[in-house]
Amino acid sequence: MAWVWLAIAGSLEVVWAVLLKYTEGFSRLWPSLATVSAMAVSFYCMSRALQLLPMGTVYAVWVGIGAAGTAIWGMAVEGDPASAARILCLALILAGVAGLKLSG
């Protein structure tokens, strides 16, 4: 169950990172509230994962999911560059996340 909590936490990190753009420096109420809510739930889920998994693993996986997911969103939806080098680097991040899961 700890890995499920961690997957949810990482997914919500993607959500709040994407929403952060729409807060316009936390000057827009509803995007700001949604961002802070997603952050809070993400941290709660991460804290649940920390009850059973090593801290370094939890943090690395959380960041990996968030970074890769946010970058993929940027390329797919926001028009960020999708060069072969960027995609290769994202694959390496995801491989590291998978490696941490398999070795844990």
Side-chain angles (χ1 to χ4, degrees):
M1 188 65 187
W3 286 100
V4 173
W5 283 114
L6 187 51
I8 294 167
S11 298
L12 286 167
E13 186 189 2
V14 174
V15 170
W16 70 253
V18 169
L19 288 173
L20 191 61
K21 176 180 180 177
Y22 300 101
T23 68
E24 295 180 14
F26 288 101
S27 65
R28 297 182 61 216
L29 178 63
W30 296 114
S32 297
L33 290 175
T35 300
V36 171
S37 297
M39 285 176 174
V41 177
S42 178
F43 277 100
Y44 171 77
C45 294
M46 187 169 57
S47 76
R48 294 298 304 266
L50 282 165
Q51 291 176 319
L52 295 172
L53 298 173
M55 178 175 35
T57 300
V58 169
Y59 187 69
V61 170
W62 181 73
V63 168
I65 293 170
T70 304
I72 291 167
W73 174 273
M75 288 186 284
V77 177
E78 303 289 339
D80 292 352
S83 67
R86 286 176 57 104
I87 292 168
L88 173 64
C89 290
L90 288 172
L92 290 171
I93 291 170
L94 293 174
V97 168
L100 288 170
K101 166 69 170 112
L102 294 173
S103 68

